[in-house]
């Protein structure tokens, strides 16, 4: 089983939105996905309740229980755990960062988000955790200078995963109905985008696996 965590202290950057749609896209691609909601706001528990299906189970887990929970999920045949965290540094974010094979830091292309990303990057570095950035909620005209600057800044900080994720109504509508963007509008631009994001994440996870395993302290 592989574990990814959406982390960044910046609230509103899109952790829960991307986690839910990515979970659905990975499920559709054949993964057995389990979502762990570590945010006390419980966005994804609410999402699952609205969804009303058990195809992508969601559960909240305390930091202390995380390693045992992940071990149990692996034993039960899950192939992918996706952890959503709160928009704050703290015990749960750190537990998730340590447990994840790959941490994903969503950032909007504005200076406050970029500064917050830098803070999160420092924390991840100090934990020696694997991470990538994803630029989210980019304005529709992709090639604006602001987006390019944001992309360059994140690239310089340690790696930007493709694609750039644009601000699209589908993300909001899908979340509201307990769906992923690939379900609400399977051929829409957001669906194409999130499938591409899953491909990138999967490739990145495979790369991590190919390396000698790095044992992190629990
Ligand atoms: N790519 C996107 N396009 C449009 N709206 C988005 C996108 N990503 C996030 N949002 C919206 O931004 C807000 C914050 O997203 P959320 O996932 O709750 O962030 P976080 O979990 O990091 O606090 C929500 O209203 C969500 O619908
Ligand atoms: Mg959230």
């Amino acid at each position: 089983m592989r574990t990814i965590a959406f982390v960044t202290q910046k609230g509103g950057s899109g952790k829960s939105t991307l986690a839910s749609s990515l979970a659905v896209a990975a499920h559709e691609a054949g993964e057995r996905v389990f979502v762990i909601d570590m945010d006390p706001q419980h966005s994804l528990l609410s999402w699952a309740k609205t969804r009303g299906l058990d195809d992508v189970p969601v559960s909240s887990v305390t930091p202390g229980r995380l390693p045992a929970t992940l071990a149990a999920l692996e034993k039960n045949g899950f192939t992918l755990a996706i952890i959503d965290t709160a928009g704050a540094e703290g015990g749960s974010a750190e537990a998730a960062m340590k447990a994840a094979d790959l941490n994903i830091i969503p950032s909007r292309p504005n200076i406050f988000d970029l500064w917050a990303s830098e803070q999160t990057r420092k924390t991840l570095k100090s934990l020696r955790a694997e991470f990538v950035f994803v630029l989210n909620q980019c304005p529709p005209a992709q090639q604006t200078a602001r987006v390019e600057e944001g992309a360059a800044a994140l690239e310089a900080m340690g790696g930007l995963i493709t694609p750039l994720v644009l601000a699209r109504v589908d993300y909001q509508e899908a979340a509201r109905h307990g769906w992923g963007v690939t379900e609400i509008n399977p051929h829409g631009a957001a669906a194409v985008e999130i499938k591409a994001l899953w491909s990138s994440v999967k490739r990145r996870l495979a790369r991590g696996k190919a390396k000698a395993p790095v044992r992190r302290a629990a």
Side-chain angles (χ1 to χ4, degrees):
M1 188 182 76
R2 312 296 280 159
T3 301
I4 61 180
F6 281 86
V7 296
T8 174
Q9 60 190 66
K10 189 77 185 172
S13 51
K15 294 182 289 296
S16 304
T17 303
L18 294 178
S20 53
S21 269
L22 193 71
V24 170
H27 166 70
E28 288 172 344
E31 299 289 332
R32 284 199 58 203
V33 184
F34 196 98
V35 176
I36 296 175
D37 186 352
M38 295 186 80
D39 184 350
Q41 283 184 28
H42 291 159
S43 307
L44 293 189
L45 280 180
S46 305
W47 174 83
K49 212 168 150 196
T50 311
R51 184 173 180 82
L53 301 169
D54 57 7
D55 56 347
V56 181
V58 181
S59 180
S60 80
V61 173
T62 57
R65 293 281 313 151
L66 185 61
T69 302
L70 291 172
L73 290 175
E74 177 150 37
K75 220 169 148 193
N76 282 302
F78 286 95
T79 59
L80 180 69
I82 299 183
I83 308 176
D84 185 27
T85 65
E89 301 271 323
S92 86
E94 200 168 307
M97 287 172 173
K98 283 185 192 160
D101 297 297
L102 181 65
N103 288 279
I104 302 179
I105 313 169
S107 177
R108 288 167 295 197
N110 65 59
I111 197 63
F112 293 143
D113 267 46
L114 294 170
W115 283 336
S117 298
E118 171 60 22
Q119 271 310 112
T120 306
R121 185 191 74 94
K122 277 188 187 151
T123 307
L124 286 159
K125 276 258 169 200
S126 72
L127 295 171
R128 301 208 182 145
E130 290 285 325
F131 64 87
V132 284
F133 296 97
V134 60
L135 207 50
N136 186 31
Q137 302 185 57
C138 300
Q142 254 190 58
Q143 296 309 320
T144 64
R146 189 156 66 89
V147 172
E148 280 177 6
E149 272 169 28
L154 295 179
E155 195 64 77
M157 272 193 247
L160 179 66
I161 202 160
T162 55
L164 301 182
V165 178
L166 269 61
R168 299 183 193 278
V169 186
D170 277 2
Y171 287 103
Q172 300 182 359
E173 282 302 293
R176 200 158 69 85
H177 293 288
W179 294 339
V181 289
T182 47
E183 295 171 311
I184 197 167
N185 187 1
H187 303 292
V192 172
E193 216 164 58
I194 209 79
K195 282 194 242 176
L197 182 61
W198 169 241
S199 297
S200 296
V201 169
K202 196 175 168 186
R203 258 200 314 275
R204 181 71 196 221
L205 284 170
R207 215 169 89 190
K209 211 174 190 175
K211 283 193 306 197
V214 180
R215 286 273 153 248
R216 286 186 287 272

